[in-house]
Amino acid sequence: MRHLSPQDLLDVAEDTQSEAAFPHLVSCEVCRRHVAELRDVMRAAAVEVPEPSPLFWDYLSARVREAIGEPAGHWSRWARVFSPWRLGGAVAAIAVVLVVATMFVSTPQQAPASGTPPSDRAGVAERADSSAEDPSLDFVADLAAGLDWDSVAEAGITITTESAAVDRAVMDLSVDERAELQRLLSEALRGV
Amino acid sequence: MPSTLAWSLARTSDSDWQMTVVRAEHAAAANTSGGDLAPLSDADLVAACLQGRREAFDLIVERHRRNLYQLCYRFVGNHEDASDLTQDAFIRAYRGLRNFKGDASLGTWLYRIGVNVCLNRLSVKKPATEPIDAREHIDTRAESASEGVLREERAARVRAAVAQLPRKQRAAVVLRMYHEMSHQEIAGVLGSSVGAVKANVFHALRNLKTLLGEG
């Protein structure tokens, strides 16, 4: 006796055709088992899609509306450059370079220039001491180790450590300011 | 990005807040979608859009976004990819609106685009399905904590199993099981025959049985 084909088994399992249309089923345990197995899998696989946030739907519509307002290809190109994770990486990279530069500029071995007034020498020594003890700089240095610099370059962000303005800004950071920079870095990386 | 805080609040028992959100959502949709377009059929909305009324497409998106998102989610198993694919599908639909002939429903036409977008994505990379503790916003107030965990575990296993199916089998079983399309409609979406669709569904179910350890 000829067993049911896969298509027939599926039709019976899905109830698109009744079992009565296939008299073979009455006498064939193998085919009845196949039908039962198909039905078991269909029941087991009947799971729902997790419902996203209620705000997601309007956000999706807004994204589509914005995208179709751009010329073809424009949205995807700019989205790749200015996607949140790339921007976050660029912001973090800039901040890390500023702080890492501080580590090199404010090392304990670095002596103030002979021409530096005594009051400024004390200030430099104070910052050097505080940077050596500041654990936030270790944290930032660890963050820098994991940055994707290629992504930063692709995003068009270039950093020149030769900039005197950057060096001055770094040297002027106090302990509180470095703590604030650490907080901003953490936020930016969480948002990526 | 949607406010996760707002979504969290929606999960509380503050029904007044939820009602306010629903009313605001409908009001916003009415304002942006053109009140006079709301009663139109999908085919008429397409015609209106082709005549330059872009808000008609907003209404098309609003009507079909949930189904298209769920289709994409079934394919890739995670919210981020599903969201991107849904957006891509609607953008392609907008740019190809002149190709909509009306021989099938707009929903079926959108499904066709969605399936193609998902299959193209699958051919490029294998999406990661969401783990058990991924956020879910299903009304679970009636079930116990252990039932909820079991439900989520089962859902995650099913998502992972579907994700391992070959592309054509995945497409056929997703459209058949989760979107209740007829074999004929699925054949139209996939560009294949009814016999091939049935064969793909059959083999997909057999593979799922193995992957899920059923029986």
Side-chain angles (χ1 to χ4, degrees):
Chain A
M1 187 175 290
R2 199 182 170 98
H3 293 298
L4 268 62
S5 69
Q7 295 184 21
D8 292 337
L9 289 170
L10 184 66
D11 284 340
V12 174
E14 292 180 334
D15 293 327
T16 54
Q17 289 202 62
S18 70
E19 294 188 21
F22 300 96
H24 170 78
L25 277 174
V26 174
S27 57
C28 181
E29 172 63 27
V30 173
C31 287
R32 285 203 304 273
R33 189 177 70 247
H34 285 325
V35 170
E37 287 173 351
L38 289 173
R39 286 174 173 160
D40 288 342
V41 173
M42 287 192 290
R43 271 192 295 271
V47 295
E48 295 179 1
V49 170
E51 183 70 13
S53 158
L55 299 177
F56 166 74
W57 303 111
D58 283 344
Y59 170 69
L60 173 65
S61 290
R63 281 172 61 190
V64 172
R65 193 180 309 123
E66 189 175 348
I68 64 178
E70 297 288 347
H74 176 84
W75 170 252
S76 59
R77 183 174 66 248
W78 286 106
R80 279 195 299 275
V81 173
F82 291 109
S83 64
W85 72 271
R86 289 185 183 275
L87 280 177
V91 166
I94 293 170
V96 164
V97 168
L98 288 176
V99 178
V100 169
T102 302
M103 294 170 66
F104 284 101
V105 169
S106 304
T107 55
Q109 296 78 19
Q110 185 181 12
S114 59
T116 308
S119 59
D120 288 346
R121 288 183 208 169
V124 169
E126 177 185 345
R127 290 194 183 96
D129 289 339
S130 63
S131 67
E133 297 168 356
D134 189 356
S136 63
L137 291 179
D138 291 330
F139 168 74
V140 172
D142 288 338
L143 291 178
L147 280 179
D148 179 3
W149 296 100
D150 290 339
S151 302
V152 173
E154 276 187 69
I157 306 297
T158 57
I159 300 163
T160 56
T161 54
E162 303 84 31
S163 165
V166 171
D167 290 341
R168 282 196 296 274
V170 163
M171 288 175 65
D172 286 342
L173 287 179
S174 66
V175 173
D176 289 342
E177 286 166 340
R178 284 198 291 273
E180 176 64 13
L181 179 60
Q182 177 190 355
R183 186 189 68 78
L184 290 171
L185 274 175
S186 300
E187 276 186 32
L189 290 174
R190 273 199 297 274
V192 167
Chain B
M1 289 296 289
S3 163
T4 54
L5 174 61
W7 177 63
S8 299
L9 286 173
R11 297 196 64 178
T12 66
S13 57
D14 188 351
S15 57
D16 289 342
W17 189 91
Q18 288 176 314
M19 289 171 64
T20 300
V21 169
V22 170
R23 282 196 294 272
E25 179 179 340
H26 286 180
N31 288 335
T32 59
S33 303
D36 62 319
L37 296 173
L40 296 184
S41 67
D42 283 348
D44 290 338
L45 285 177
V46 171
C49 192
L50 291 174
Q51 289 167 5
R53 297 198 65 180
R54 189 172 286 181
E55 64 271 28
F57 194 75
D58 290 342
L59 205 50
I60 290 173
V61 171
E62 187 181 330
R63 286 182 185 179
H64 296 279
R65 60 193 181 187
R66 184 178 295 270
N67 282 343
L68 201 52
Y69 168 83
Q70 290 183 348
L71 172 74
C72 295
Y73 189 96
R74 297 283 186 195
F75 265 93
V76 296
N78 70 85
H79 171 73
E80 292 299 325
D81 286 338
S83 174
D84 289 344
L85 290 170
T86 306
Q87 178 184 333
D88 285 349
F90 275 123
I91 293 170
R92 289 182 187 224
Y94 178 78
R95 296 196 176 123
L97 265 184
R98 297 195 182 278
N99 299 326
F100 176 64
K101 302 290 185 246
D103 48 353
S105 69
L106 182 62
T108 299
W109 187 71
L110 289 171
Y111 271 174
R112 192 177 300 156
I113 295 173
V115 167
N116 285 330
V117 166
C118 291
L119 289 177
N120 287 339
R121 172 66 67 90
L122 292 179
S123 67
V124 173
K125 77 168 191 177
K126 185 178 177 184
T129 56
E130 283 177 335
I132 292 171
D133 59 352
R135 58 181 175 152
E136 292 200 9
H137 189 233
I138 296 173
D139 186 357
T140 58
R141 284 173 287 185
E143 66 179 9
S144 66
S146 59
E147 287 172 344
V149 170
L150 285 174
R151 177 179 51 76
E152 290 175 13
E153 282 181 355
R154 184 165 68 90
R157 285 180 57 227
V158 170
R159 282 197 295 268
V162 171
Q164 294 183 61
L165 294 175
R167 298 185 331 157
K168 285 291 180 68
Q169 289 183 20
R170 189 185 318 189
V173 79
V174 164
L175 292 173
R176 180 64 180 162
M177 272 190 54
Y178 301 116
H179 293 270
E180 299 178 344
M181 295 180 73
S182 69
H183 297 125
Q184 186 70 42
E185 289 173 322
I186 298 171
V189 169
L190 299 181
S192 63
S193 66
V194 171
V197 168
K198 287 186 176 182
N200 276 316
V201 172
F202 176 82
H203 291 296
L205 291 174
R206 293 297 293 270
N207 286 333
L208 283 178
K209 171 179 175 291
T210 302
L211 292 167
L212 293 174
E214 291 289 321

